[in-house]
Amino acid sequence: MKSLKELRELRETLQKEISARNSAGKPKIIIGMGTCGIAAGAREILHTVLEEIERRKLDVVVTQTGCIGMCEKEPLLDVQLPGKERITYGNLKKDDVKRIIVEHVINGNIVTDLAIARFEEGRD
Amino acid sequence: MEETLFLKKDMYDQIENYDFSGLKKALSMEREDIARQVKESGLKGRGGAGFPTGLKWELALKEKSDKKYVICNGDEGEPGTFKDRFLLEYNPVKVLEGIMIAAYAIGADEGYCYIRGEYHRPVRIFKRIIEKAYDKGILGKNIFGSGFSFDLHLVKGAGAYVCGDETSLLNSIEGKRGSSRIKPPYPVSKGLFGKPTVVNNVETLTAAAEIITNGPEVYSRMGTEGSRGTKLVCLSGDVQKPGVYEIEFGRMTLKEIITEFGGGIRENRKLKFVVPGGISTAVLTADEIDIPYTYEDLEKAGTSLGSGAIIVVAEGHNLVSLLNNVSRFFMDETCGTCFPCREGNRQVHHILKSNSERFSERDVRIISDLGRTIHLAARCGLGQTSLNFINSVFDKFGNELMERKEITGG
Ligand SMILES: Cc1cc2nc3c(=O)[nH]c(=O)nc-3n(C[C@H](O)[C@H](O)[C@H](O)COP(=O)(O)O)c2cc1C
Ligand code: SF4
């Protein structure tokens, strides 16, 4: 890299790449892996999610987050479909994961009896 | 056994339903008397450090200054803790009353309520309470015709555990980087924008409101000599019925809290250990939990009541992965000011991560040494307590974690 112009160009291409990575338009599953979550069985939930995704060959991003202060509802799992509201599911068992993946992640219908919150960012 | 309802007794989530009798009573009292009554009640800070609240108010009142602040600490970042969220959602009106009584008691005319950013619902609820309080003249100038004026602002945290520490929180409100300040000077003499400031936890302020409303005797009659009143405990992990329960100090053992309120361990598994006060406290094994739930008894057992977060862990979890989880938390959350806390937690995480099964004696010694160094050198509670959990697990479950000694002949 020799000039400021090159630097700017490089920045532009990289920024495009980064935003492409972010807005890849993939569904996202976020699992609460704080200590309280793990103690309530979050690791099993994570394994089940990964198994289900593998079995059904889904293109889904799975990430983790820490304790969000809803420890009494752990294990927690959030589903974020592109352009849709982020939904938090709580008090989960292994079998619930399958339902959430089939009904919400694949078919786009929120599993209302398991949902405990809707992400309210921007509403307050 | 039943819960002892004091904070959970008369909860108000609508400002219209409450007459602010506690605040009105406070406004008719001398400032010194408010601090004295809170002192007599025996209330200690519920944010983790357990400093006597009445004394804090008295010290702040004695400070001479043209400006003082009150701050309500609702950062609640300790994993396993959710009682402040409970109060902000179900009893926000009493939280507001507590803040205002504290303000009047120390002579502050401005305050902040600092709420954890992830708490969208509590933020929304409390914001509406503040707006309505202004509409009704409960906040603002000349409140209830008493001549006392008070403005309250709501600030959202941005997700850093260290910002729950009162001095980091002050920096955060001032718009600075969230890292701790050197003490002394303490916030009561030089706090927000250099002015005398009282920082109190949400639960502390709610309790103070009830104490002024009902009189200090009601509170000091409950509990033990070293632990007056009630405490909201946050029960989570491998229990049947996790949730927020109100406990009178000394009336129940830790074990009873878990079996009676928690409904015992899930899926009939065996209890492995309990984290009695959030992940910055030392764990207690199944044999150690038959002790009364008080500050002093937990201290005697070598741990602490912390923020009231009781995380129950049953057999069947991978200990190493739990250690890794806690260590990762502290490595991520250290603010980095003190070298031993920043690098020490990183090293500990490195050691834990590179061993999937068993640890050598050397590893354990290094972790324990680092723990001591961090504890001695740390400027704030984050560093000081960062290895309590990890060292106590090695201490108590060493036989499961350490390499088995091979008997070599000759
Ligand atoms: C790393 C760290 C995190 C803390 N987090 C909180 C918190 O989330 N909420 C809180 O009230 N106090 C927290 N504290 C304690 C505060 O520094 C302070 O002692 C407390 O807010 C004082 O209020 P109290 O006397 O009513 O407990 C934390 C302390 C440290 C060192
Ligand atoms: S002890 Fe750790 S968290 Fe606290 S001020 Fe020092 S580096 Fe920051």
Side-chain angles (χ1 to χ4, degrees):
Chain A
M1 196 172 15
K2 286 183 209 76
S3 67
L4 199 57
K5 190 166 155 271
E6 272 182 65
L7 177 69
R8 292 212 178 98
E9 280 167 8
L10 183 64
R11 186 175 63 192
E12 209 136 283
T13 46
L14 287 179
Q15 263 173 354
K16 261 189 215 136
E17 252 176 55
I18 288 170
S19 67
R21 229 183 285 157
N22 286 345
S23 57
K26 291 183 189 173
K28 212 164 154 188
I29 297 180
I30 305 137
I31 298 162
M33 297 288 281
T35 319
C36 40
I38 294 182
R43 199 164 289 284
E44 238 189 343
I45 300 295
L46 173 67
H47 288 317
T48 315
V49 168
L50 294 176
E51 273 164 27
E52 285 296 305
I53 288 177
E54 176 59 34
R55 209 159 60 85
R56 296 168 196 274
K57 303 272 174 273
L58 300 174
D59 192 10
V60 175
V61 180
V62 180
T63 58
Q64 305 184 1
T65 188
C67 162
I68 57 161
M70 289 225 259
C71 326
E72 83 276 31
K73 302 220 166 68
E74 297 278 3
L76 295 171
L77 177 156
D78 286 15
V79 174
Q80 166 97 69
L81 297 183
K84 294 272 165 48
E85 266 178 321
R86 175 166 163 181
I87 303 296
T88 302
Y89 293 102
N91 299 120
L92 297 179
K93 307 242 168 3
K94 268 169 88 169
D95 290 344
D96 300 331
V97 172
K98 292 182 192 149
R99 264 186 74 201
I100 292 168
I101 289 189
V102 174
E103 292 178 30
H104 192 168
V105 179
I106 299 180
N107 291 317
N109 302 318
I110 297 169
V111 188
T112 41
D113 59 311
L114 296 174
I116 55 163
R118 184 183 278 140
F119 208 64
E120 298 184 7
E121 186 107 271
R123 276 186 53 189
D124 43 65
Chain B
M1 215 169 286
E2 306 248 304
E3 283 184 74
T4 306
L5 300 183
F6 183 71
L7 297 176
K8 282 174 88 171
K9 188 160 149 239
D10 303 308
M11 298 206 285
Y12 293 93
D13 60 357
Q14 301 294 327
I15 204 160
E16 290 80 5
N17 302 340
Y18 184 54
D19 61 0
F20 285 85
S21 50
L23 176 63
K24 284 179 186 154
K25 194 167 162 194
L27 292 173
S28 70
M29 287 164 67
E30 293 296 328
R31 295 197 148 94
E32 293 80 17
D33 291 337
I34 300 175
R36 212 195 46 237
Q37 289 205 354
V38 175
K39 235 168 135 178
E40 281 167 13
S41 75
L43 175 64
K44 286 186 191 170
R46 302 294 191 229
F51 190 82
T53 309
L55 180 61
K56 194 185 270 188
W57 292 13
E58 194 182 86
L59 292 172
L61 175 61
K62 282 194 188 133
E63 292 286 332
K64 296 212 173 6
S65 174
D66 55 334
K67 183 91 192 169
K68 291 180 191 175
Y69 294 98
V70 160
I71 295 172
C72 171
N73 188 347
D75 194 49
E76 194 154 73
E78 178 87 30
T81 320
F82 44 99
K83 67 190 173 63
D84 296 341
R85 177 176 58 92
F86 174 87
L87 288 171
L88 287 164
E89 284 185 22
Y90 298 102
N91 203 6
V93 180
K94 290 283 176 73
V95 177
L96 173 67
E97 184 174 49
I99 297 172
M100 295 182 71
I101 293 175
Y104 174 74
I106 67 157
D109 65 354
E110 198 171 349
Y112 288 82
C113 186
Y114 190 99
I115 302 181
R116 178 175 184 172
E118 291 91 333
Y119 282 2
H120 305 288
R121 189 151 178 263
V123 165
R124 189 158 43 85
I125 291 172
F126 205 72
K127 198 171 165 194
R128 200 167 305 148
I129 295 283
I130 293 180
E131 283 162 6
K132 284 199 176 163
Y134 271 110
D135 286 347
K136 292 170 149 303
I138 296 163
L139 282 169
K141 295 253 166 315
N142 191 18
I143 294 158
F144 298 132
S146 64
F148 168 63
S149 301
F150 183 66
D151 282 311
L152 183 61
H153 317 281
L154 194 150
V155 180
K156 280 203 291 182
Y161 173 54
V162 77
C163 285
D165 161 66
E166 54 186 6
T167 62
S168 312
L169 187 139
L170 296 174
N171 281 338
S172 166
I173 296 178
E174 288 182 11
K176 296 178 185 146
R177 195 185 146 146
S179 56
S180 80
R181 294 180 181 175
I182 293 171
K183 293 193 273 191
Y186 290 92
V188 281
S189 49
K190 255 181 183 300
L192 191 63
F193 302 113
K195 302 292 179 190
T197 304
V198 157
V199 183
N200 271 138
N201 172 256
V202 173
E203 185 187 353
T204 315
L205 290 165
T206 314
E210 296 293 359
I211 287 165
I212 295 301
T213 311
N214 300 295
E217 329 72 58
V218 179
Y219 202 73
S220 61
R221 264 205 301 273
M222 293 186 287
T224 65
E225 172 117 34
S227 317
R228 293 286 176 217
T230 63
K231 174 88 190 82
L232 295 180
V233 300
C234 319
L235 207 48
S236 71
D238 277 321
V239 283
Q240 306 269 16
K241 293 184 289 174
V244 174
Y245 298 96
E246 186 164 14
I247 315 274
E248 180 183 340
F249 282 116
R251 260 192 69 198
M252 290 178 91
T253 64
L254 191 51
K255 192 172 180 175
E256 284 167 339
I257 295 175
I258 294 164
T259 48
E260 297 196 19
F261 291 152
I265 312 294
R266 245 198 291 232
E267 294 153 11
N268 283 324
R269 283 193 282 166
K270 256 184 76 196
L271 176 67
K272 177 105 180 169
F273 63 83
V274 176
V275 193
I279 64 168
S280 45
T281 61
V283 306
L284 295 173
T285 62
D287 304 329
E288 295 172 318
I289 58 169
D290 213 356
I291 50 170
Y293 188 76
T294 65
Y295 284 100
E296 58 273 21
D297 287 286
L298 285 169
E299 207 169 296
K300 238 187 282 161
T303 182
S304 145
L305 197 134
S307 52
I310 302 176
I311 308 176
V312 177
V313 182
E315 297 268 5
H317 289 286
N318 182 330
L319 270 185
V320 180
S321 101
L322 277 168
L323 288 169
N324 261 297
N325 172 267
V326 172
S327 156
R328 177 68 203 234
F329 176 82
F330 285 105
M331 183 180 98
D332 288 344
E333 296 298 335
T334 166
C335 81
T337 310
C338 319
F339 172 78
C341 173
R342 183 183 69 226
E343 297 305 325
N345 276 303
R346 182 172 300 278
Q347 284 308 317
V348 170
H349 189 64
H350 180 73
I351 295 172
L352 291 173
K353 217 172 59 180
S354 32
N355 285 275
S356 52
E357 289 291 325
R358 297 261 170 177
F359 296 84
S360 68
E361 249 175 62
R362 188 166 163 269
D363 292 334
V364 180
R365 204 173 48 237
I366 293 177
I367 293 175
S368 150
D369 281 354
L370 283 171
R372 215 161 340 169
T373 312
I374 298 172
H375 183 85
L376 288 170
R379 186 158 91 184
C380 85
L382 187 149
Q384 284 159 11
T385 59
S386 55
L387 286 179
N388 282 349
F389 177 97
I390 292 166
N391 276 329
S392 67
V393 169
F394 272 111
D395 214 26
K396 291 171 184 180
F397 300 102
N399 56 344
E400 292 171 45
L401 291 164
M402 308 266 291
E403 281 166 1
R404 278 183 211 105
K405 282 223 180 68
E406 303 291 335
I407 300 173
T408 42

